[in-house]
Amino acid sequence: GQGVDSRYVAIGSTDGTVLLLSLEDGKEIWRHEVASEVLAAPAMAPGQVIVRTVDGKITALSIKDGRELWFNQQSMPRLSLRGSSTPVVVAGAVICGFDNGRLAAYDLADGDALWDVMLAPPSGRTEIERLIDLDSSAVLVGKDVYAISFQGRLVSIAAESGQLLWSEELSSYAGIAANSSGVFVSTQGSELVAVSNASGRELWRSELLLNRDISGPALQGSSVVVGDFKGY
């Protein structure tokens, strides 16, 4: 996917190339080679393009000329799902999930870690059982961040401090959506679940699309919208 602001479009590729284009006419402004594949949309921040690569590195590139401003890196497990969490820019920081099950916030000024939270530790005897990827993007509602991991947990975290507010055992690689009405999850088994923002208590659960490999949810008015593997 692409990251967009009022002037630019940023695109990452599977060959490790990041391009910045003019939003007005599509003209290429610069291209920069990063360490590995870019499977998540870059995020736009003031003066920066934030890129998450599959090797666990998060990098800030200058909008002006594409040079590297800072980077930080998490250790990655030997086995992971194919995918990456899209960075989310909040006031003065960027929040991103990683394949080791951690959600971290970094200072946009220098890349220093502001906080780092493990959603759920890996468990099980095999590497497949121990997969805890955080591939779906975190969602910010007010001052709270919601995130979910595969074979892990759905959590609510205070954006400023990284304090864990609540957690519930749920698994997803497709994604979540949230607003003031609740947090909506497309689970690993293609159930659609709604939980309370305040407590994580389950509000309702739909099995109408069970095993149809549904996408992450999107909110439209009073509806929750998903797609499935048949194209519905």
Side-chain angles (χ1 to χ4, degrees):
Q2 69 288 331
V4 182
D5 66 10
S6 60
R7 297 181 62 190
Y8 304 105
V9 181
I11 303 168
S13 71
T14 54
D15 64 1
T17 302
V18 180
L19 293 92
L20 189 72
L21 310 177
S22 166
L23 183 63
E24 182 178 1
D25 58 13
K27 180 181 178 181
E28 181 179 319
I29 297 169
W30 52 254
R31 63 176 57 207
H32 180 88
E33 301 298 324
V34 291
S36 59
E37 290 180 292
V38 183
L39 299 181
M44 308 300 289
Q48 300 179 3
V49 178
I50 310 297
V51 181
R52 157 82 156 90
T53 47
V54 298
D55 58 355
K57 184 181 288 187
I58 185 166
T59 304
L61 305 176
S62 168
I63 279 184
K64 182 178 179 180
D65 54 17
R67 63 187 171 87
E68 184 178 294
L69 300 175
W70 56 258
F71 78 90
N72 211 313
Q73 190 166 15
Q74 294 267 348
S75 60
M76 293 292 99
R78 289 192 300 171
L79 183 67
S80 66
L81 299 177
R82 182 164 174 78
S84 298
S85 174
T86 297
V88 177
V89 174
V90 299
V94 58
I95 298 172
C96 193
F98 296 89
D99 297 347
N100 58 5
R102 306 193 77 90
L103 184 73
Y106 301 97
D107 192 325
L108 282 174
D110 53 18
D112 283 351
L114 301 174
W115 50 259
D116 188 326
V117 177
M118 170 68 81
L119 268 63
S123 62
R125 299 173 62 183
T126 69
E127 289 191 27
I128 291 177
E129 290 175 337
R130 294 172 65 83
L131 289 172
I132 51 168
D133 299 49
L134 211 164
D135 281 350
S136 58
S137 298
V139 177
L140 182 71
V141 178
K143 295 183 178 180
D144 297 336
V145 178
Y146 303 98
I148 194 167
S149 59
F150 178 67
Q151 299 183 145
R153 288 183 171 273
L154 171 69
V155 301
S156 174
I157 294 171
E160 292 184 357
S161 65
Q163 178 185 356
L164 182 65
L165 303 177
W166 54 257
S167 71
E168 291 294 329
E169 190 170 328
L170 274 173
S171 173
S172 175
Y173 54 81
I176 62 175
N179 60 15
S180 58
S181 300
V183 184
F184 305 89
V185 181
S186 296
T187 71
Q188 178 180 341
S190 290
E191 294 174 295
L192 195 59
V193 181
V195 304
S196 164
N197 299 69
S199 64
R201 178 179 59 86
E202 186 173 311
L203 301 175
W204 53 259
R205 179 182 295 256
S206 173
E207 298 182 350
L208 293 173
L209 300 171
L210 196 65
N211 298 320
R212 294 186 67 85
D213 194 21
I214 60 174
S215 70
L219 303 179
Q220 177 63 36
S222 59
S223 299
V224 184
V225 184
V226 296
D228 74 0
F229 78 111
K230 284 287 190 179
Y232 290 97

